[in-house]
Amino acid sequence: MSTQRRSRFSALVPGSVAGQIALLIVPAIVVTHALATLAFFALREPWRPDAHPGVAATRLATVARLLDGAPPDERAAILANAGRMLPTLRIEPWNGTGGEGDNEAADHPVVRRLREGFGRTLTITDLPGGEGQSGIRIGVVTPEGAALSAHLPDDERPPIRPAPIVVALLFLAVTLSLLSLWATRALTAPLARLAAAAEAFGKHMDLVALPENGPKEVVAVSRALDRMRDRVRRLVDDRTQMLAAISHDLRTPITRLRLRAEFIEDDHARTMTLRDLDQMNGLVEAALSFVRDGQRGEGRANTLVDLASVVQTVCDGFADMGADVSVAETRHVLIQGRPDELQRALMNLVDNAVKYGGSAQVSMGLCARGVQVEICDAGPGIPESECDAMLQPFVRGDRARNLDTASGFGLGLSIVLAIVEAHEGRFTLGNRTPHGLCARIELPLAAARMAGKPADPTQAAMAPRAA
C-alpha cells in the first residue's frame, strides 16, 4: 500500500524543474492570500458606517453637545433635524421617565464611547427597546437639562487585540518557511548528488552513482554525464595503451641504434648520437610515467604511510649520491596513501631543487589541511605569474624548448601534482626571499581522511619529532 501511495504521489508531482518550482510557489502564495483575506473579513469594519457602534456613539455625542449649548426654545428644532439626518439612531425628545438611570447601560462599551465623545458628565438611562430591534435604547440628559432618547447599535465584539494577529502571522511565516525549505531541499538534493558525482570523477576518476530520480532535467544531465564518463575513461585508456605501445615499440629501435652508434669511429659524433638516444629514451619513459601517474593510482589500494620515513628515505638517497640535501625537521604522522607514488613525488621535487638550486632543504610541519612537506632551494626561482603554468605537462622554465640544452621534459611537476591530488592533497609553488623556490605538499592525516572530516592538527602535534 505504501509503495502504491508513493507512486500515486509521484505521478501528481510535475517532472520538470519549472513545474516543481511552480508547485512550490503557487500554493504558498494562494495560502497566504487566503489567510490574509480571511483575516480581512474577520477584522474589517462594517460596510455601512451608520451600523458601526463607534460611529453611532460619536454622532449622538455631537447631537447632545448641540442641544446642551442651544437655547431651550431651539432644542426641539435641533432634535427634529437630527432625527431626519440620522434615521438609524431614532432620536426623539424624552421627558426623563420610563427607565432607570445609570444601571445596566452605564458599563456598556457604546455608552462609554458616548460619554468620551461628549466630554462632560451625562446622565444615561436604560430605556426599554422596541420589539424586534437589536441594540440598546437609552435616554440622555445633558448638564444644561437637554433630554433625548436614541437607539444605538449594540457592540458585542471584543476589541481587537494585536497579540493573536501577531501570533497567527508568525505561525504562517514559520510554516511557509519550513515548507519552502523542505521542498527546496528535496528539489536540489538530486543536483547536489550530481555535483558530488561529477566532482569525484573529475578528481579521482571515481564512478560515484548518479541520481536516477528527481526532475527530468536532472535525470537527463545524469544520463549525459554517465555517457561522458564512459567516453572519458575510454579516451584515457586508449591514450595509456597508445603511449605504452609507442614506448614498447621505440625501445627496440633505440637499442639497435645504440648498438650501431658504438661502431661510429668519430668520437664526437658517437657521443652526440648516444646522448640523443638517451634523451629519446628518457622522453618516452617520462611520458609513460606521466600517463601512469596521471591515472592517480586507480585500482590500487591505499595503506598507512609514515610520511617522515618516506621523506628521510628520499633525502638519504640523494645525500648518499653526494647531493647537498638537508632535513631541517620531520614529524612522524600517519597518512593514507601509496608509498611508492609519494616517494616518486618527493624525488622529483628534491631532484629539481638540487638541479636548479644547487641544494635542497626539506622540512615538515602542521597545517590546516593536516601535514605539509616543504622542499626549498636557493636557485633563481620562478616568476609568480608562471607558477601555475609550470604545473602543466611539457612546460619547462626555459623558453627555447631545445632538447640539446634542456635537462628535462617538463613532466616532473605535473607528475607531482597528479600524485598529490590523488591523495586528496594540495601542491603549490612559491618564491622565497631573497631568492629561491619553495615547493609545498599538503596532505590530510590518515584519521581525518578515513573519517571524511577536516584534519585536526592538534592530534598530529602529539606525535614525536625526529631530526
Side-chain angles (χ1 to χ4, degrees):
M1 294 296 293
S2 60
T3 304
Q4 294 179 353
R5 290 178 181 177
R6 284 196 297 268
S7 62
R8 292 176 182 175
F9 177 76
S10 301
L12 297 177
V13 177
S16 64
V17 175
Q20 293 187 12
I21 293 177
L23 183 64
L24 169 64
I25 295 178
V26 172
I29 296 177
V30 170
V31 171
T32 303
H33 281 76
L35 292 178
T37 303
L38 181 62
F40 171 77
F41 279 104
L43 303 176
R44 69 179 178 88
E45 300 290 349
W47 292 111
R48 295 191 308 114
D50 292 344
H52 193 282
V55 175
T58 302
R59 289 177 175 178
L60 183 59
T62 302
V63 174
R65 286 198 301 269
L66 291 175
L67 291 176
D68 189 65
D73 56 347
E74 298 178 2
R75 290 174 180 172
I78 294 175
L79 279 175
N81 291 331
R84 289 192 302 270
M85 297 293 295
L86 303 173
T88 57
L89 296 181
R90 294 192 289 275
I91 300 175
E92 299 174 353
W94 181 52
N95 56 8
T97 61
E100 299 180 0
D102 290 341
N103 45 16
E104 296 181 359
D107 295 332
H108 200 280
V110 179
V111 174
R112 289 198 298 267
R113 294 284 296 273
L114 175 62
R115 294 182 186 275
E116 294 173 359
F118 186 78
R120 290 188 295 168
T121 304
L122 283 176
T123 301
I124 307 297
T125 302
D126 188 9
L127 300 178
E131 296 183 0
Q133 296 180 353
S134 61
I136 60 174
R137 186 168 177 266
I138 57 175
V140 180
V141 179
T142 67
E144 296 298 330
L148 72 155
S149 66
H151 180 273
L152 292 176
D154 196 1
D155 189 3
E156 298 179 353
R157 297 177 301 173
I160 299 175
R161 297 180 181 179
I165 300 177
V166 173
V167 171
L169 292 178
L170 287 177
F171 176 77
L172 175 63
V174 171
T175 303
L176 291 178
S177 299
L178 293 177
L179 179 62
S180 300
L181 289 176
W182 172 81
T184 304
R185 186 172 182 179
L187 179 62
T188 57
L191 292 175
R193 294 196 299 270
L194 181 61
E199 184 71 16
F201 181 75
K203 284 187 175 181
H204 312 291
M205 298 289 285
D206 294 337
L207 294 180
V208 179
L210 295 173
E212 299 179 357
N213 54 1
K216 60 182 182 182
E217 292 88 352
V218 176
V219 175
V221 173
S222 299
R223 294 172 180 172
L225 180 60
D226 193 29
R227 294 191 296 268
M228 184 196 70
R229 293 194 308 186
D230 292 338
R231 292 193 296 268
V232 170
R233 288 177 64 85
R234 287 197 302 268
L235 177 62
V236 173
D237 292 340
D238 293 343
R239 183 190 67 169
T240 304
Q241 294 176 4
M242 178 188 66
L243 289 178
I246 292 175
S247 176
H248 179 270
D249 294 341
L250 284 178
R251 284 195 182 100
T252 300
I254 289 175
T255 303
R256 289 200 301 262
L257 289 174
R258 184 183 297 276
L259 292 175
R260 293 171 183 174
E262 297 294 340
F263 294 98
I264 298 177
E265 296 180 357
D266 189 344
D267 294 339
H268 178 72
R270 183 174 62 253
T271 302
M272 297 300 295
T273 302
L274 292 174
R275 193 193 71 169
D276 290 341
L277 292 173
D278 290 338
Q279 286 185 344
M280 291 174 60
N281 187 67
L283 178 58
V284 171
E285 295 292 342
L288 186 59
S289 298
F290 171 71
V291 173
R292 182 180 62 249
D293 295 327
Q295 291 187 351
R296 299 169 184 180
E298 184 179 357
R300 301 179 59 185
N302 292 328
T303 60
L304 292 179
V305 181
D306 184 359
L307 187 59
S309 300
V310 177
V311 171
Q312 194 68 48
T313 300
V314 172
C315 294
D316 291 342
F318 278 91
D320 293 341
M321 292 186 296
D324 184 7
V325 178
S326 61
V327 182
E329 179 183 2
T330 59
R331 184 179 295 272
H332 290 283
V333 294
L334 293 178
I335 65 172
Q336 193 177 26
R338 293 171 288 277
D340 54 343
E341 293 185 5
L342 293 172
Q343 185 172 350
R344 178 177 177 81
L346 293 173
M347 288 179 62
N348 286 354
L349 295 178
V350 175
D351 182 65
N352 284 345
V354 173
K355 185 183 300 181
Y356 300 106
S359 63
Q361 296 82 39
V362 183
S363 63
M364 292 180 60
L366 302 177
C367 64
R369 192 178 292 269
V371 61
Q372 68 180 16
V373 181
E374 291 185 342
I375 298 93
C376 302
D377 60 53
I382 301 174
E384 294 291 342
S385 59
E386 300 180 7
C387 287
D388 293 336
M390 291 299 296
L391 302 180
Q392 301 302 318
F394 299 104
V395 176
R396 301 196 303 270
D398 62 303
R399 294 293 180 268
R401 297 299 304 266
N402 188 352
L403 289 179
D404 291 337
T405 58
S407 57
F409 306 105
L411 293 174
L413 295 180
S414 300
I415 294 174
V416 174
L417 178 63
I419 293 174
V420 172
E421 289 184 348
H423 289 77
E424 299 182 5
R426 180 186 178 190
F427 175 51
T428 56
L429 297 176
N431 290 312
R432 301 176 65 190
T433 303
H435 55 81
L437 184 69
C438 185
R440 175 181 297 178
I441 294 177
E442 299 179 2
L443 297 171
L445 300 178
R449 186 176 179 185
M450 288 186 293
K453 300 177 180 179
D456 186 3
T458 58
Q459 296 180 0
M462 303 300 295
R465 298 182 180 180

